[in-house]
Amino acid sequence: MGNVTATPQTIALPTDSAGREMLVSVRGLKKHFPITSGIVFQRQVGAVKAVDGVDFDVYKGETLGLVGESGCGKSTTGRAVLQLYRPTAGSVVFEGNELTTMNNAGLRAARRRMQIIFQDPFASLNPRMTVGNIVNEPLVVHNIMNKKQRKEYVAQLLERVGLNPYYINRYPHEFSGGQRQRVGIARALALNPSFIVADEPISALDVSIQAQVVNLLEDLQEELGLTYLFIAHDLSMVRHICDRVAVMYLGKIVEIGPTDRVYDNPLHPYTQSLLSAVPVPDPEVEENRRRIILSGDVPSPANPPSGCNFRTRCPVAFDLCSDEPSPPLIEIEPGHFAACHRVT
Amino acid sequence: MGVLLEVKNLVTRFYTQEGTVYAVNGVSYELQEGETLGVVGESGSGKSVHALSMMGLIPQPPGKIESGEVIFQGRDLLKLSREQMRLVRGAEVAMIFQDPMTSLNPVLTIGTQLTEGLKLHMGMTQTQANRRAIELLEMVGISDASRRLRDYPHQFSGGMRQRVMIAIGLSCNPKLLIADEPTTALDVTIQAQILELVRQLRDELGMAMIWITHDLGVVAGVADTIQVMYAGRVVERGPINAVMKDPRNAYTLGLLNSLPRMDEKGRGERLHQIVGSPPDMRVKPVGDPFWPRNPYHTEKCKQETPELEQVADSVPGHMSAAWYDLKKDRESQQLQGEG
Ligand SMILES: Nc1ncnc2c1ncn2[C@@H]1O[C@H](COP(=O)(O)OP(=O)(O)OP(=O)(O)O)[C@@H](O)[C@H]1O
Ligand SMILES: Nc1ncnc2c1ncn2[C@@H]1O[C@H](COP(=O)(O)OP(=O)(O)OP(=O)(O)O)[C@@H](O)[C@H]1O
Ligand code: SF4
Ligand SMILES: [Mg+2]
Ligand SMILES: [Mg+2]
């Protein structure tokens, strides 16, 4: 990006059995939020099992999609990976280093290399700071470059995300939603990260603006070799942007694999119904589609069903599903895993 | 089948401290009995304001209906008194909004809210109304209905609240159901439940619907006719197949092209994007408001506003407001690309 770089860095990454470089490795990750009761003396009466034991890797340069319904634990997973929430249990290895046991100084350094883009471009930018200062702030915090270099670099960053550097002294409210999201992206890029968690980065944008932001994210990935964890509920966009996709239900990953395999050959009953429910902007296709309509609502993560936690809504549940413990993720075809007693 | 609703040249503005908002700028259309109309367009294009204006629900001030007629079963709704309008709303026309929490009263039980309308509009006794309320809740798939009548809205999930809203909406057998983004806040599996339910009920009850959404996929699955709005105007309308397979307005085309599809292989292809930003509704529109973002615009687009007109070489009822000939322009573009 231009002639100024924040942090040139090359790191030898661990590889998996297929020789792919693992930028992030997550194992047994749990995040439980305590439920407390009592007015004077708070005591814990239970826990919201927002993330309840997830395993996945993110390979260097790829986009891994994380999908599932509201409240299934996508954002919590993203935050727990970045240690914005300290996990209840499990391990997160980033660029070869274990993050969960790292002290604050170590984390501060690691955070330069991993960033987050939020859903709401309105709430996530400080309304009292100019966009120039918003993008500049991480550079100041990490004491990178002198003032003059920073100014030049911020202008370059704004230009890179498609904003006229001329607007550097304007405030967020003077921008449209799509432009604000570009400011958020510029800020995330400032420290030259290798890994970005994009938490519903386009959900709050107009349809006609979503494609602009997605194209920008894809261009930046190609140019800067970025790796994304792309959290979304728009399954059509996920198919477009992701190399692999992980499907979550009630705090667990129920299926993970190459995007086209998961969409063309969904293995888990939840993935099957989820995909069948996505409307397609084509009246002929809609007319002839077979939809699997799930009955009932998502159970509370404070009190998930025993056994397979999907069994209360699963159209093909049988006795094993409640008698046996939660089914593990099993590799059904190369790189394509599902957690279901029916798929083994 | 006859005409149920006729909207003629509806114009609604808001006079705010930051200036005039030109929210709806001359909307006209007809809705047949039993027809489902999908209204799409991006945020701020006037979809909600157009529906709220028809139903007498615009806050005045700052809002003002500058002109127009809304003929529903022979009467101009815009000329009715507040009291007459209130009777039309719960009974002949029902509305469901995006956020059921704001339209359900949090301090009244679901039962009270369901039976209120039945007593007022249908003249039922409390016992009759209770019995009907249970039937309605069962119809929208809420189990254990008689017990749940005593529950308050917060005791229901988002999807169930939306189903309760539908039950309330349908309770007086309306001729027309207006749904404003009723599934936008819901998960896709819950949205699929609701859409399935609505399709079924519509076919059983034979009511007409106006379904407002920004999701072209939802419209494709539910509507007979689609109407695309941009900057407070209808820019294209017609039978759903014609408009979605053969769009003639550059905005419709841009919108359809920018959508990735769940049923098509993804990575690698770049999305088509519409350049620029949505229009500022505080600026009085001049010419075709889409022209700065339209690669097919002509000089005339900058000066004169095109009217919605039948597309000469398409099916009857397929209308577009455009000075350019999108089909011809695209064909010659393709020829150039090949040549
Ligand atoms: N800080 C918190 N304290 C307590 N519970 C929380 C907290 N954050 C999230 N939760 C709960 O954890 C569960 C998972 O929430 P999370 O935000 O991760 O879901 P999500 O998949 O991102 O949903 P959405 O699609 O709505 O963003 C939910 O039940 C939520 O209410
Ligand atoms: N009470 C109000 N006061 C001032 N302006 C308003 C008011 N209500 C709506 N508007 C403006 O009128 C225009 C049309 O708004 P409308 O709500 O109809 O858009 P919409 O198409 O329904 O958008 P969305 O998809 O976001 O719901 C917008 O510019 C909006 O800001
Ligand atoms: S394990 Fe049983 S309940 Fe769970 S998804 Fe498979 S079949 Fe359904
Ligand atoms: Mg979230
Ligand atoms: Mg609206």
Side-chain angles (χ1 to χ4, degrees):
Chain A
M1 191 187 307
N3 48 4
V4 201
T5 336
T7 38
Q9 221 161 335
T10 39
I11 286 156
L13 296 173
T15 52
D16 74 354
S17 55
R20 288 177 295 192
E21 289 182 292
M22 297 184 292
L23 188 68
V24 184
S25 269
V26 175
R27 291 293 174 273
L29 185 71
K30 289 188 182 179
K31 179 67 197 174
H32 294 181
F33 295 104
I35 304 170
T36 54
S37 138
I39 297 160
V40 184
F41 300 104
Q42 295 268 309
R43 75 203 150 78
Q44 185 172 343
V45 294
V48 177
K49 295 173 183 149
V51 178
D52 202 23
V54 303
D55 301 342
F56 63 90
D57 298 315
V58 192
Y59 301 114
K60 187 168 188 291
E62 78 165 347
T63 301
L64 174 66
L66 194 54
V67 304
E69 290 173 285
S70 185
C72 70
K74 304 180 295 295
S75 297
T76 306
T77 302
R79 282 160 200 237
V81 167
L82 298 184
Q83 308 297 306
L84 296 172
Y85 289 148
R86 283 301 199 150
T88 308
S91 137
V92 178
V93 176
F94 171 66
E95 292 188 331
N97 301 312
E98 175 63 54
L99 297 181
T100 55
T101 52
M102 214 176 247
N103 63 19
N104 286 335
L107 266 184
R108 228 173 80 97
R111 284 237 172 83
R112 290 173 53 169
R113 310 274 305 147
M114 37 185 217
Q115 294 287 321
I116 186 162
I117 305 172
F118 294 101
Q119 165 170 1
D120 189 349
F122 301 86
S124 62
L125 302 177
N126 184 340
R128 284 180 293 277
M129 281 168 80
T130 64
V131 304
N133 284 336
I134 288 171
V135 177
N136 194 34
E137 192 183 29
L139 300 169
V140 176
V141 169
H142 287 273
N143 199 12
I144 294 163
M145 299 191 264
N146 65 34
K147 209 168 166 187
K148 187 166 165 288
Q149 288 171 320
R150 283 202 293 260
K151 198 166 172 209
E152 195 179 320
Y153 181 58
V154 167
Q156 280 178 18
L157 280 169
L158 288 178
E159 191 147 23
R160 184 60 207 87
V161 298
L163 287 173
N164 193 330
Y166 175 76
Y167 296 137
I168 200 158
N169 290 320
R170 297 210 179 166
Y171 290 87
H173 74 261
E174 297 174 71
F175 291 92
S176 70
Q179 289 172 324
R180 277 184 251 210
Q181 199 52 289
R182 290 171 195 269
V183 175
I185 294 171
R187 177 180 58 186
L189 292 177
L191 298 171
N192 197 23
S194 58
F195 178 53
I196 291 182
V197 173
D199 191 354
E200 312 248 13
I202 55 166
S203 311
L205 303 178
D206 261 327
V207 187
S208 80
I209 303 302
Q210 291 186 351
Q212 292 179 3
V213 172
V214 164
N215 284 342
L216 173 65
L217 287 172
E218 290 187 317
D219 292 346
L220 291 170
Q221 175 167 53
E222 201 164 300
E223 226 171 277
L224 308 173
L226 295 171
T227 304
Y228 294 134
L229 179 64
F230 188 83
I231 298 173
H233 60 250
D234 179 345
L235 286 132
S236 309
M237 198 54 94
V238 164
R239 175 149 207 188
H240 172 79
I241 198 174
C242 298
D243 301 287
R244 291 189 307 134
V245 61
V247 182
M248 278 188 86
Y249 185 80
L250 265 187
K252 290 189 155 62
I253 291 179
V254 298
E255 181 157 0
I256 182 169
T259 307
D260 285 332
R261 289 313 298 154
V262 172
Y263 279 67
D264 291 340
N265 180 31
L267 299 170
H268 195 279
Y270 177 62
T271 315
Q272 289 167 354
S273 62
L274 192 65
L275 291 175
S276 84
V278 179
V280 175
D282 182 330
E284 269 168 39
V285 174
E286 279 293 303
E287 174 101 52
N288 300 315
R289 269 178 96 192
R290 199 177 66 89
R291 297 185 187 82
I292 307 165
I293 306 286
L294 290 179
S295 56
D297 287 300
V298 187
S300 157
N303 190 16
S306 62
C308 173
N309 65 12
F310 184 55
R311 70 183 163 81
T312 52
R313 297 173 81 201
C314 181
V316 293
F318 62 121
D319 49 3
L320 268 194
C321 309
S322 49
D323 299 349
E324 291 283 312
S326 171
L329 274 173
I330 291 174
E331 188 165 19
I332 307 295
E333 53 180 8
H336 187 178
F337 297 73
C340 168
H341 295 305
R342 291 249 185 222
V343 210
T344 40
Chain B
M1 285 221 179
V3 176
L4 179 70
L5 173 79
E6 198 180 351
V7 183
K8 291 186 194 165
N9 194 32
L10 187 65
V11 176
T12 304
R13 293 182 188 148
F14 293 94
Y15 295 93
T16 70
Q17 293 195 327
E18 289 94 59
T20 306
V21 181
Y22 297 87
V24 176
N25 303 309
V27 165
S28 306
Y29 62 90
E30 271 179 15
L31 183 75
Q32 308 293 317
E33 281 170 22
E35 177 182 355
T36 298
L37 169 70
V39 178
V40 302
E42 58 201 306
S43 186
S45 59
K47 303 182 297 294
S48 298
V49 170
H50 118 272
L52 294 170
S53 301
M54 298 197 300
M55 292 289 87
L57 292 172
I58 287 290
Q60 322 199 28
K64 184 158 186 259
I65 298 177
E66 299 286 349
S67 73
E69 285 171 55
V70 178
I71 315 289
F72 177 75
Q73 296 196 302
R75 288 184 297 176
D76 185 354
L77 297 185
L78 298 184
K79 294 216 170 74
L80 297 186
S81 70
R82 214 173 262 264
E83 190 49 34
Q84 286 171 315
M85 201 54 225
R86 211 165 69 90
L87 289 174
V88 171
R89 277 195 310 262
E92 289 159 88
V93 184
M95 281 195 83
I96 315 174
F97 298 95
Q98 171 166 357
D99 181 3
M101 213 42 194
T102 58
S103 18
L104 288 170
N105 188 333
V107 301
L108 296 179
T109 64
I110 294 298
T112 310
Q113 301 189 54
L114 256 169
T115 51
E116 224 169 42
L118 292 169
K119 289 188 288 183
L120 175 73
H121 299 296
M122 314 283 279
M124 290 188 184
T125 65
Q126 186 66 50
T127 327
Q128 288 170 323
N130 275 343
R131 203 174 312 136
R132 178 77 182 132
I134 293 169
E135 275 172 27
L136 285 162
L137 285 185
E138 279 169 354
M139 180 172 79
V140 297
I142 289 178
S143 50
D144 202 7
S146 57
R147 191 180 58 78
R148 304 238 51 175
L149 280 183
R150 290 192 293 270
D151 284 351
Y152 291 87
H154 73 264
Q155 290 166 286
F156 288 77
S157 70
M160 285 167 90
R161 283 198 289 263
Q162 201 54 284
R163 275 179 266 165
V164 170
M165 278 308 296
I166 292 175
I168 294 176
L170 299 181
S171 61
C172 301
N173 304 330
K175 290 255 166 26
L176 170 63
L177 177 71
I178 302 180
D180 190 354
E181 308 262 10
T183 57
T184 304
L186 304 175
D187 282 317
V188 286
T189 62
I190 308 294
Q191 168 171 291
Q193 286 176 0
I194 304 265
L195 287 174
E196 189 72 12
L197 169 71
V198 164
R199 273 189 289 257
Q200 239 175 47
L201 294 175
R202 170 194 62 190
D203 296 345
E204 271 166 38
L205 308 174
M207 66 186 173
M209 292 204 299
I210 299 180
W211 196 275
I212 299 173
T213 175
H214 62 265
D215 189 332
L216 286 158
V218 169
V219 167
V222 65
D224 307 309
T225 310
I226 181 173
Q227 185 156 296
V228 184
M229 290 188 71
Y230 190 80
R233 303 177 60 88
V234 178
V235 296
E236 182 158 10
R237 109 170 225 125
I240 185 90
N241 268 304
V243 174
M244 293 190 85
K245 296 277 180 190
D246 181 21
R248 298 306 183 93
N249 192 281
Y251 174 64
T252 316
L253 176 70
L255 215 51
L256 285 166
N257 276 349
S258 71
L259 294 177
R261 282 183 51 162
M262 213 271 308
D263 55 344
E264 279 168 11
K265 217 168 148 119
R267 273 232 92 157
E269 285 283 309
R270 223 179 130 77
L271 289 177
H272 291 270
Q273 59 187 46
I274 302 182
V275 296
S277 312
D280 184 348
M281 303 295 279
R282 286 165 306 183
V283 178
K284 192 173 169 117
V286 184
D288 180 339
F290 187 59
W291 83 259
R293 307 174 75 187
N294 179 6
Y296 303 99
H297 75 259
T298 63
E299 276 309 305
K300 203 172 178 185
C301 301
K302 301 180 187 174
Q303 275 124 34
E304 281 177 63
T305 310
E307 290 296 322
L308 196 61
E309 274 166 11
Q310 170 68 39
V311 176
D313 52 345
S314 184
V315 296
H318 186 178
M319 307 169 89
S320 171
W323 292 125
Y324 47 88
D325 185 334
L326 191 63
K327 193 171 181 198
K328 249 215 219 111
D329 290 353
R330 289 175 72 196
E331 278 165 4
S332 64
Q333 204 177 37
Q334 247 167 8
L335 281 179
Q336 274 171 14
E338 284 160 18

